[in-house]
Each structure stands twice: as C-alpha cells, then as structure tokens.
Amino acid sequence: MNIKRRAINNVRILKNSVSSLLSYGFLLVFSIISSKYVLVSYGSETNGLLSSVNQLFSYISLLEAGIGTSTISALYKPLSDRNTEGICDVLSSSRHYYRSAAKWYLLCVIIVSFIWPLVIESSISYISICSLILLQGVSCVITFWFTSTAVNYLLANGRNYINNHVHVTGTLLTYALKILICVMRMNIVFISVSLIAVNAIKCLAYYLYLKKNCPEYFVRRMPNKSLLKQRSSFLLHEISGVIFSSTDTIII
C-alpha cells in the first residue's frame, strides 16, 4: 500500500512540475502579446492604468493572506490520515473565513473605486476608471467566495496540476478576450467584464471536477475557528514579505 501511495505521489509531483513549467511559459508569451495590443490600441496611459489597478488589487488581496496558507497547513494531517471528517471540518472553516474576507474585500473595492480616480491624473473619464476598478473587484470577490478553498484543497492534496490547468486556460481566455476588445477598440471597462465571465467559467470547472472526484468537498459542517488559528501569523508574514519586496513600487 505504501509503495502504491508513493507511486501515486510521484506521478502527481511529475504532473505538477510539467504543468507549472508549461503554464509559466504560455502565460509569459501571451502576457507580452496582450500588453502590446493594449499599447497599440489605447496608448501607454491606459496600459499604465491597467498595470496600476492590478498592482492595487494585489495589495487589497492581502485581506485573504493567511487563510490560504493556514488552510493548506491544516489539511495535511487529515489528508495523510484519510480522515474525511477532519478534511470537511477544515474546508468548512476555510470557506467561512474566505467568505467573510470577501465581504470586506468588496467593501474596500467600493471605497477605492470611488476614491482612486480622484487622486490620479488621467485623461480617462472618472466613470470608466471607477467601473474598471469596481468590476475587476467583483471578479476577485467571485474567486474568494467560490474557488479559493478549492484551490487550496487541491494544492494540499497534491493535485496542483488541476489548478494550473484551470489557471492557464482561464488566463489564456482572458488574454484572448483582452486582445479582441483591443482590436475592436471597445471601452476598457469591457476588460473587467471579461474577467468576471472568465472567473464564472473557472468556478464551473472547479465545481464539475470536485463534484466528480472529491465529493467530500461539498460536505458542510460548522466552522471550527481553532483549526485555522495560525492565519494571523501567516498574514503578518505575507504583509512583511510584500513590504520587503515591493517598497520601491509602493513609493513610486
């Protein structure tokens, strides 16, 4: 039995490694291509705005920092012991915290979407910038609410290649829609609308896979806050890492 489990783990490691390598390669190429189309179609100002908005959301997403790492850490033992009840307890607790974070995330997005256009100088209209931020924030809330726990579960379970497949497919579709929007010279707000559509497709992909292969994921139990008690420590670690690596960007 141990030999069989070791063989399964080795296959999963190989799948994870190959999928990660291929995904980074594809995303790098398409990222360069899509950026070129944005520059040609809308100019450097719009490209800079989109980059700054993405950077802004990377900071707001710190609201969920700690939940994911503590979830993965808490899942290792019940997964190793094949303790279905323990797995369901951790997943229910993780889902509870993610959905709580999603509410605060949405509140921050609403506030930022109205304030950010006032503090930057841009020829792009206030309503366009506001809508761009708000809609992109909604797409992130969808991720928090529906897929973040699933991503962490598959990662802890050694099936990160599934995450890579969904992520790469979703990102390539996002780039394709972005290029189409650029070619058609549509309002940049439609870029955020496309993100919502792609995230909805990713939610469906995770649902179908987990429904077929991981039925325990859908078991609902009362959240046990003690299972993710390390989330505050992980949050401080994430924040310190961002400050250390992004101080120059924040100042600029």
Side-chain angles (χ1 to χ4, degrees), residues 26-39 175:
F26 278 118
L27 296 183
L28 177 62
V29 172
F30 277 89
S31 175
I32 295 172
I33 294 173
S34 66
S35 296
K36 176 186 176 181
Y37 272 92
V38 172
L39 279 169
Y175 285 145

Side-chain angles (χ1 to χ4, degrees), residues 80-228:
S80 177
D81 297 339
R82 299 189 176 183
N83 180 358
T84 303
E85 289 189 2
I87 294 171
C88 295
D89 285 339
V90 175
L91 293 176
S92 295
S93 300
S94 175
R95 195 177 292 111
H96 166 76
Y97 282 116
Y98 266 118
R99 293 184 174 180
S100 178
K103 297 173 184 177
W104 288 105
Y105 189 97
L106 181 59
L107 177 61
C108 289
V109 166
I110 293 172
I111 294 173
V112 170
S113 67
F114 286 104
I115 295 177
W116 184 262
L118 298 174
V119 299
I120 63 172
E121 294 183 6
S122 176
S123 61
I124 303 171
S125 67
Y126 175 91
I127 190 66
S128 294
I129 299 176
C130 182
S131 300
L132 180 73
I133 296 173
L134 186 60
L135 291 172
Q136 186 163 333
V138 170
S139 71
C140 294
V141 169
I142 291 174
T143 298
F144 275 28
W145 196 274
F146 293 105
T147 64
S148 290
T149 299
V151 170
N152 294 323
Y153 176 58
L154 293 173
L155 179 58
N157 202 17
R159 303 184 189 184
N160 195 45
Y161 57 91
I162 301 298
N163 290 330
N164 288 334
H165 294 337
V166 174
H167 176 65
V168 171
T169 303
T171 306
L172 291 179
L173 183 57
T174 299
Y175 285 145
L177 290 173
K178 182 186 290 187
I179 292 172
L180 179 63
I181 291 168
C182 291
V183 170
M184 297 179 67
R185 297 295 180 93
M186 300 170 69
N187 192 296
I188 59 171
V189 173
F190 283 97
I191 293 177
S192 292
V193 174
S194 69
L195 290 176
I196 295 177
V198 171
N199 275 357
I201 294 172
K202 289 167 68 175
C203 289
L204 179 61
Y206 276 114
Y207 174 81
L208 294 175
Y209 178 83
L210 292 169
K211 195 71 175 177
K212 180 180 180 180
N213 299 280
C214 308
E216 69 277 4
Y217 177 82
F218 296 95
V219 176
R220 296 292 190 268
R221 301 176 70 89
M222 288 296 294
N224 184 349
K225 297 182 179 180
S226 64
L227 292 175
L228 304 182

Side-chain angles (χ1 to χ4, degrees), residues 17-60:
S17 300
V18 173
S19 64
S20 295
L21 180 63
L22 292 176
S23 64
Y24 281 120
F26 278 118
L27 296 183
L28 177 62
V29 172
F30 277 89
S31 175
I32 295 172
I33 294 173
S34 66
S35 296
K36 176 186 176 181
Y37 272 92
V38 172
L39 279 169
V40 171
S41 300
Y42 297 104
S44 58
E45 182 181 5
T46 299
N47 186 61
L49 173 64
L50 293 174
S51 297
S52 63
V53 169
N54 290 333
Q55 191 71 35
L56 177 66
F57 276 106
S58 70
Y59 298 140
I60 300 178

